[in-house]
Amino acid sequence: MKQSSPAEPPDELPGEIVTARRSGISWAWLFPLLALVATGWLYWTNWKAKGPEITISFTTAPGIEPGKTALIYRGVRAGTVSKVHLDRELGKVVVTVSLKAFAAHLATEGTDFWIEQPVISLREIAGLESIIQGNSIHARTHPGGESATVFEGLSEAPLAPLDAADLVVKLRSGSIPFLGRGTPVFHRGVSVGWVRDKIFATDGQPEIEVIINEEFAGKVRSNSRFWVMSATAVSASPGSVRLDLPALQGLLDGSISFDHFGSPGGDVQDGAEFELSPDEFSARAEGPPVSITFEDGAGLRAGETRVTCRGQPVGLVEKITPDPASQRVEVVARLTAAFAPLTSADAVFTIIRPSISLKGVQGLDTLVTGPHIAFEPGQAKEPSARFVGRELRQLDFDFDIADLVEDGRQVVLWAQDLPSLQTGAPLYHRGMIAGRVIEQRIGDQGRPEIVALVAGKFRDQLRVNTRFWRVPAALVAVGHGVVGVEMQSLSGFLQGGVAFDAFGTPGPVAPDQPAFELHGSEQAAAAISAPIRISFHDGEGLLAGKTELRYLGIPVGIVEQVRVTEDSVEATARFQPGYDFLRRMGSEFAIIRPEIDLKGVHGLETLVGGVYITCAPGTGNKYASSFNAVPPAAPALMNETGFEIVLESPSTKIDAGAPISYNDTPVGEVVSKTLSRDGKRISLTARIRDAHSNLVKSNSVFWEAATVEAKVGIFKVEIDTPSVAAPAGRVAFHTPDGGGGPVKAGAVFTLLTKPPSATPVPKSKLRPFGRPN
């Protein structure tokens, strides 16, 4: 085998190494280059989209966060908050905002910035999207401003979130009602704006800034009148009451409305000022002021009292000024544009109040609406601004009453104190109008008099004993459980009148032009008996001309005069026809006042009607003119018949009303208790019922019966304190068998303090306690 030498090269090589050539840019650089270009493009794009940086100062900045909170303009993100910090005084929050390039115009003077946040209230619901997205900053521009980068933010969102309205007007008033921010403004029922703010002017007067939408700015004219529309309004008129509610938008705060009356005025500029009237009617009363003088301004109210013409309102009272020197009232009023030119020199202004007269019923609607001033345009050509007003009552009697009283007969009525009766007051006879009052005067004797005319058909009713009395406008009658109000007629509703009649046997026909006394009431006129005098120890409540005398609860007379003597009160009284029997000797009189005791409640009707005197007829055949009243407790017993005796004792607790018993059986009562003139004895008038009068004999024995008797063991206890059953005490008597004869009325017996030992004592109704004897 042949071996090759190591020094010899091989016959073939496995490959050949060839060196590569370098040519162009490597593809490895393509991707970094593209990234670099994209980065530059993005940087240039962001630099180009970035706008100016501005700072906004807020009092507070809730929910504002750097890098997160957006600035919104017209719903588009126009910038982002880049920084939030406090100023050096720590009184403001400074917010730095980077605007986008397309929002660069926001960096101009006058731009408003505010923080949009949720607001939920009765007046406003806004910013609800902030509940989900968070608070944001919003902007509103004002065209025409120069570039600026520093701004003061608004404390609250404006009412117009976009560009400001073209027209802002100011409304001034001495007193501005509760009209809040956002209160709507209407023109002929269309919402055209709202209240922006309520401020004080430099002179201290309150004023309201109102924004009128651009599209409605031309509706405001130089002669426009603004007024307040209340949230609710109630208007009353004869036969109707009306409640007005505005739109729901103005239900809480009310609203404002405006319009021009008559020909439209010129255009207005931004910032124009107008007066704010309290209501539409006040706004319509825009005529020149008219001064009217009245004698009495009662019921007139500035800003409320209307001026009417033929029943329709045409003006309003603006001011009322009393003049102490002339004792008159000056009223300043304004009329509407249509009626202001009619205030000529012969125009008439009249106050209308409720009035009832011969002409009829007038002005009753003013009971609800209040007085008003009636305006009657004149015919003269000369205008006037000052007038002397009239009252309705001055017009009531511009006619001759004699024309209304056919074939009238004149009578004169006199009294020491005449009632206030106007001319034309009615004259009644048994419910019919029989005449009229025509005059009040001072007579020849210096006393006040009334002159009246009585119609011819009532001529024969005027007798020499005819009595006249005053009829009040309303009469209150009080009885047991009843209070009644009586009015004679509608024509006498306000002033009353006069009535006449003859009581008892009619006398001859009265002569021509007779004179009669005018009594205060029908009771006083009907009391024609001879006078009696009644002496009372206490005359509290007695009134001349008013206190009645009653028999069995029926009025039968009246007290004419009350005077005080040294030791008593003396009342002079008269009775009506048919009650002369109450003047007989032995008649009894007592004052009834309200009383509350153990026996019950009495006389409560006197709390309203006043006290009265109750009467009990006497048994004598002769008439008396003087009487002594009995104690107040006796009247309940006075009208009971019976046999009367007198019980005397040096001292006793028995009082009027105490029962009298015979063997524990009631047979009578104590009628009265009096003290002798020397003060040493007490006399009790006892009345024994007719059915038991035969029990009283000459040997009868009377004593004070113990009210309560009890036994304790072997001891007997008598208690003589008044009880519920007998608050006035008790009297008992016994008549021994044989030896006694009959007695006459008025017999006197001694009242013992205890029963005599020989007389059996009735057992007590109380059951004794302890061991029996």
Side-chain angles (χ1 to χ4, degrees):
M1 178 174 183
K2 182 180 182 180
Q3 296 180 348
S4 61
S5 177
E8 292 179 359
D11 296 336
E12 292 181 359
L13 294 175
E16 181 178 2
I17 298 174
V18 179
T19 304
R21 297 181 180 180
R22 298 178 178 275
S23 61
I25 300 175
S26 174
W27 288 100
W29 291 99
L30 179 60
F31 293 103
L33 181 60
L34 291 176
L36 180 62
V37 172
T39 301
W41 175 261
L42 291 175
Y43 178 81
W44 181 81
T45 302
N46 289 336
W47 177 83
K48 186 178 180 180
K50 186 177 181 182
E53 191 174 68
I54 62 175
T55 58
I56 311 170
S57 298
F58 295 100
T59 304
T60 60
I64 304 302
E65 299 181 16
K68 181 178 179 181
T69 301
L71 186 148
I72 306 297
Y73 178 71
R74 294 182 182 267
V76 178
R77 191 183 186 102
T80 304
V81 173
S82 59
K83 184 179 179 182
V84 178
H85 68 279
L86 296 173
D87 64 0
R88 293 183 178 180
E89 291 77 15
L90 304 181
K92 298 271 185 154
V93 179
V94 181
V95 179
T96 303
V97 179
S98 297
L99 298 177
K100 294 187 178 183
F102 67 81
H105 68 284
L106 295 178
T108 56
E109 292 180 349
T111 301
D112 295 325
F113 297 92
W114 68 92
I115 297 175
E116 187 76 11
Q117 52 188 330
V119 176
I120 301 177
S121 66
L122 291 175
R123 292 199 196 108
E124 182 181 7
I125 297 178
L128 294 184
E129 68 276 5
S130 301
I131 298 177
I132 300 175
Q133 301 176 4
N135 294 350
S136 57
I137 298 176
H138 286 239
R140 181 183 66 177
T141 61
H142 293 260
E146 296 182 358
S147 299
T149 58
V150 179
F151 300 89
E152 285 287 334
L154 302 178
S155 60
E156 56 186 355
L159 297 173
L162 298 179
D163 296 344
D166 287 342
L167 182 63
V168 177
V169 297
K170 296 180 180 181
L171 309 180
R172 298 173 62 89
S173 176
S175 175
I176 293 180
F178 185 73
L179 297 172
R181 178 176 178 268
T183 296
V185 178
F186 294 94
H187 174 69
R188 299 182 181 180
V190 179
S191 178
V192 298
W194 56 87
V195 172
R196 182 170 72 180
D197 202 0
K198 182 161 55 174
I199 61 176
F200 284 97
T202 55
D203 58 357
Q205 290 290 330
E207 64 182 20
I208 294 178
E209 291 184 351
V210 171
I211 297 176
I212 304 297
N213 291 338
E214 179 182 4
E215 57 183 316
F216 300 110
K219 301 296 182 181
V220 182
R221 315 303 297 176
S222 59
N223 62 339
S224 291
R225 306 279 289 181
F226 289 77
W227 66 89
V228 177
M229 297 175 62
S230 301
T232 58
V234 177
S235 59
S237 62
S240 67
V241 177
R242 177 180 174 182
L243 175 64
D244 294 325
L245 294 174
L248 183 61
Q249 188 176 6
L251 182 59
L252 296 177
D253 298 338
S255 55
I256 295 176
S257 186
F258 73 92
D259 202 350
H260 58 268
F261 308 108
S263 300
D267 297 333
V268 298
Q269 301 297 323
D270 198 54
E273 294 186 354
F274 296 87
E275 288 292 326
L276 179 64
S277 301
D279 54 40
E280 181 180 1
F281 188 78
S282 301
R284 288 181 177 273
E286 57 179 347
V290 176
S291 176
I292 315 163
T293 304
F294 293 101
E295 292 183 359
D296 183 7
L300 301 182
R301 294 182 179 274
E304 297 182 15
T305 300
R306 304 295 176 95
V307 180
T308 63
C309 181
R310 297 179 181 177
Q312 298 301 313
V314 297
L316 188 72
V317 171
E318 188 176 74
K319 184 180 180 182
I320 301 174
T321 305
D323 185 0
S326 63
Q327 296 185 350
R328 299 175 72 87
V329 175
E330 182 179 5
V331 174
V332 177
R334 291 180 184 269
L335 303 184
T336 58
F339 286 85
L342 303 180
T343 55
S344 57
D346 57 342
V348 177
F349 293 87
T350 307
I351 295 181
I352 304 298
R353 295 188 177 95
S355 176
I356 301 177
S357 68
L358 296 178
K359 286 184 174 181
V361 181
Q362 303 181 27
L364 287 189
D365 57 315
T366 61
L367 292 175
V368 177
T369 62
H372 60 268
I373 299 176
F375 166 60
E376 298 178 22
Q379 302 296 327
K381 296 182 179 180
E382 301 82 8
S384 177
R386 302 191 66 84
F387 299 88
V388 176
R390 298 195 297 178
E391 306 257 349
L392 177 63
R393 60 174 176 262
Q394 293 175 313
L395 307 178
D396 284 344
F397 307 112
D398 293 342
F399 55 88
D400 191 356
I401 294 179
D403 295 337
L404 299 178
V405 181
E406 183 180 357
D407 192 21
R409 182 181 182 188
Q410 184 172 303
V411 296
V412 176
L413 309 177
W414 61 271
Q416 295 301 323
D417 296 307
L418 281 180
S420 177
L421 290 174
Q422 294 183 5
T423 303
L427 216 65
Y428 301 102
H429 177 69
R430 299 184 180 181
M432 299 178 290
I433 296 180
R436 298 286 178 178
V437 172
I438 62 173
E439 183 185 3
Q440 282 190 339
R441 69 186 186 188
I442 300 297
D444 297 336
Q445 301 181 17
R447 62 190 181 189
E449 295 178 347
I450 291 177
V451 181
L453 284 178
V454 179
K457 62 181 179 179
F458 294 95
R459 177 185 298 270
D460 294 340
Q461 305 302 323
L462 291 176
R463 306 285 179 150
V464 292
N465 60 337
T466 295
R467 312 271 281 187
F468 286 79
W469 65 90
R470 170 82 163 97
V471 176
L475 180 64
V476 179
V478 182
H480 292 281
V482 177
V483 177
V485 180
E486 177 185 353
M487 289 183 294
Q488 185 74 15
S489 67
L490 185 61
S491 61
F493 174 64
L494 292 181
Q495 59 176 334
V498 175
F500 67 93
D501 202 350
F503 300 96
T505 304
V509 176
D512 291 338
Q513 296 187 351
F516 299 92
E517 181 181 1
L518 180 63
H519 298 276
S521 65
E522 183 177 3
Q523 291 90 340
I528 59 175
S529 72
I532 62 170
R533 294 185 299 276
I534 311 171
S535 296
F536 298 90
H537 291 296
D538 181 5
E540 181 181 0
L542 295 179
L543 296 174
K546 294 186 178 181
T547 301
E548 295 179 345
L549 278 72
R550 298 184 185 179
Y551 173 60
L552 299 179
I554 304 300
V556 296
I558 198 156
V559 173
E560 252 186 6
Q561 182 182 6
V562 179
R563 70 184 188 93
V564 179
T565 62
E566 292 183 359
D567 56 353
S568 64
V569 175
E570 186 178 85
T572 302
R574 294 178 185 266
F575 291 103
Q576 298 174 8
Y579 296 98
D580 278 339
F581 64 88
L582 294 173
R583 297 193 295 116
R584 292 175 181 170
M585 296 181 63
S587 294
E588 296 177 340
F589 303 90
I591 295 179
I592 297 298
R593 298 187 178 94
E595 293 184 3
I596 302 177
D597 56 27
L598 296 176
K599 296 177 69 176
V601 180
H602 311 282
L604 284 188
E605 70 274 13
T606 62
L607 293 176
V608 179
V611 304
Y612 62 90
I613 300 173
T614 188
C615 314
T619 57
N621 295 325
K622 295 182 178 180
Y623 293 101
S625 59
S626 298
F627 299 87
N628 290 320
V630 298
L637 311 173
M638 291 195 327
N639 291 308
E640 293 185 5
T641 61
F643 180 73
E644 291 188 358
I645 58 175
V646 177
L647 307 178
E648 289 190 344
S649 174
S651 176
T652 180
K653 296 180 180 179
I654 302 298
D655 206 346
I660 302 174
S661 60
Y662 185 89
N663 289 342
D664 267 352
T665 301
V667 296
E669 296 88 10
V670 174
V671 175
S672 65
K673 181 179 182 180
T674 58
L675 184 67
S676 64
R677 291 186 176 272
D678 58 7
K680 295 181 179 180
R681 297 184 312 281
I682 294 177
S683 297
L684 301 176
T685 301
R687 181 171 296 157
I688 308 300
R689 297 186 181 92
D690 292 332
H692 305 289
S693 60
N694 61 317
L695 297 176
V696 182
K697 304 292 184 179
S698 59
N699 61 341
S700 294
V701 180
F702 294 82
W703 67 89
E704 297 181 23
T707 302
V708 178
E709 179 181 312
K711 290 184 178 180
V712 182
I714 62 173
F715 300 101
K716 182 175 67 174
V717 179
E718 294 181 355
I719 305 174
D720 60 357
T721 301
S723 66
V724 175
R730 293 196 304 165
V731 175
F733 78 98
H734 177 70
T735 301
D737 295 336
V743 296
K744 295 182 179 181
V748 179
F749 294 84
T750 299
L751 179 64
L752 305 178
T753 58
K754 292 183 179 182
S757 57
T759 303
V761 179
K763 294 182 178 180
S764 172
K765 293 183 180 181
L766 290 180
R767 185 176 181 179
F769 57 91
R771 289 191 303 173
N773 293 334

